[in-house]
Amino acid sequence: MKGLVLSGGKGTRLRPITYTSAKQLVPVGNKPVLFRVIEAIRDAGIRDIGIVIGDTGDEIRAAVGNGRRWGVQITYIEQDAPLGLAHAVKISHDFIGDDRFVMFLGDNCIQGGISPLIQQFGHSDFNAQVVLKQVADPRSFGVAELDENGRIDRLVEKPRDPQSDLALVGVYMFDHHIFEAVHSITPSLRGELEITDAIQWLITSGYQVFPYIHDGWWIDTGKKDDMLEANRLVLEEMQPVVHGYVDRDSNLIGKVIVEAGAEIINSTIRGPAIIGEQTRILNAYVGPFTSIYHHCLIEDSEVEHSIVLEHSTIRGMPARIEDSLIGRNVTVTRSPLKPKAYRLLIGDNSTVGVL
């Protein structure tokens, strides 16, 4: 069995972060989401993984490499334009061949991994299996309706009047019949080959398409608030450990991870929180559900319920920073210049709150 990870999207909902970085490489719990996906596939016993890449392909290649660090073999599959999930399957035929495979969206976090799914599909004669999750408001998702035998009968994209509360999570199992399906469908109104249309083609053609109902949490990290929620959930499951230096004037409260080379000086860290490698926390407070990535400096400031990416500095802030996603190589500081005014250069689709 093989794995197929889709990492070709533009990440427009995470701008301005994704103007300069792949959305799949934004970390939750100080580990890029894409790395978590690779580990989930590897832990299910799959060693041959293809990654579909697009405009951010060079960055993903540099970050992931050949997969040796995870004990897997990575093959890169270039998608010239984001023409739909089914198109990504279509261009991956040479890599997949006639093998069964799991397809996993590269910006999704799922609790507990996918090992039970792989085992169930591997011991079945299903042609496809789709991971579903009960949601409170199905109108925002692709929704699956089941027949009396528990098979998937119909898929509906963002229904106005949903007949089911089972949403598509973004993890799929297929055998080789999916390639017949993706060659048989036509582009949707938005010009893409939709994976829901391909699965519906399998159903209509009489193939066996079954659900897998996921009990744990699942987050699509496409937006800032979703990324923070995924970070919160991941941090709650991590175990406290200190590999860095914590001086006698500092306090670690609750689940706190201090990675190698990090320094905590005259500061309080209230977990769950993680402090990355070679990061310094000086005369500062880091509150719950915060991930500070590697080679950062937090000085004379307070940060809570936030993600701070690598090589960034927060210094001398007069108010607490919270509910924030701060990019790479960023400096946030209180300006001494007068007259005091806000000077803003803000990317599209951003939200800024000021005192």
Side-chain angles (χ1 to χ4, degrees), residues 11-283:
T12 55
R13 294 178 297 166
L14 264 180
R15 288 176 177 169
I17 294 290
T18 49
Y19 277 127
T20 54
S21 178
K23 64 177 179 177
Q24 298 86 0
L25 295 180
V26 176
V28 295
N30 278 11
K31 183 182 294 184
V33 175
L34 178 58
F35 291 8
R36 295 185 179 277
V37 169
I38 293 171
E39 290 175 358
I41 295 173
R42 178 208 56 196
D43 292 346
I46 296 173
R47 295 293 183 267
D48 202 357
I49 301 173
I51 301 181
V52 178
I53 54 176
D55 292 345
T56 58
D58 289 344
E59 184 184 8
I60 289 175
R61 286 178 189 268
V64 175
N66 60 12
R68 186 177 301 168
R69 79 180 79 172
W70 297 284
V72 301
Q73 176 64 46
I74 299 292
T75 299
Y76 294 98
I77 303 156
E78 295 186 6
Q79 187 179 32
D80 294 335
L83 297 177
L85 304 187
H87 179 263
V89 172
K90 189 176 182 178
I91 65 173
S92 303
H93 196 173
D94 287 345
F95 167 72
I96 298 295
D98 290 330
D99 293 326
R100 288 182 156 205
F101 67 100
V102 58
M103 184 174 83
F104 206 132
L105 301 190
D107 57 357
N108 278 13
C109 284
I110 186 168
Q111 184 183 33
I114 59 171
S115 295
L117 167 67
I118 299 297
Q119 292 174 8
Q120 187 178 108
F121 188 74
H123 290 89
S124 75
D125 60 353
F126 302 164
N127 301 113
Q129 193 167 16
V130 180
V131 178
L132 305 175
K133 172 69 180 173
Q134 286 185 302
V135 295
D137 185 5
R139 293 173 298 177
S140 301
F141 302 92
V143 172
E145 298 175 6
L146 309 185
D147 65 17
E148 63 275 7
N149 297 314
R151 292 184 298 188
I152 297 178
D153 182 57
R154 189 164 75 111
L155 300 177
V156 184
E157 187 64 32
K158 297 181 180 178
R160 293 183 180 180
D161 183 22
Q163 303 301 303
S164 164
D165 62 355
L166 296 173
L168 279 69
V169 164
V171 182
Y172 312 85
M173 302 292 304
F174 296 116
D175 69 7
H176 66 276
H177 290 98
I178 190 63
F179 295 109
E180 185 180 357
V182 299
H183 283 280
S184 299
I185 62 174
T186 57
S188 64
L189 291 177
R190 60 178 182 171
E192 296 186 3
L193 292 179
E194 309 287 355
I195 197 65
T196 49
D197 290 344
I199 297 171
Q200 190 65 55
W201 186 94
L202 290 174
I203 296 168
T204 304
S205 300
Y207 292 106
Q208 297 194 73
V209 181
F210 279 83
Y212 179 89
I213 312 300
H214 180 62
D215 292 329
W217 54 258
W218 151 70
I219 300 288
D220 171 3
T221 60
K223 298 179 181 179
K224 185 264 289 184
D225 288 346
D226 296 328
M227 187 71 71
L228 292 176
E229 177 65 3
N231 187 65
R232 181 186 72 82
L233 292 167
V234 167
L235 287 176
E236 284 186 330
E237 295 187 346
M238 297 180 73
Q239 296 303 311
V241 64
V242 175
H243 293 301
Y245 171 74
V246 181
D247 79 345
R248 67 177 66 184
D249 297 317
S250 295
N251 291 310
L252 306 185
I253 304 168
K255 290 183 178 181
V256 176
I257 299 99
V258 181
E259 297 190 311
E263 296 181 347
I264 315 297
I265 309 295
N266 193 35
S267 298
T268 296
I269 316 294
R270 185 181 297 273
I274 184 169
I275 310 301
E277 295 180 356
Q278 305 301 322
T279 282
R280 299 190 75 223
I281 311 295
L282 180 62
N283 304 321

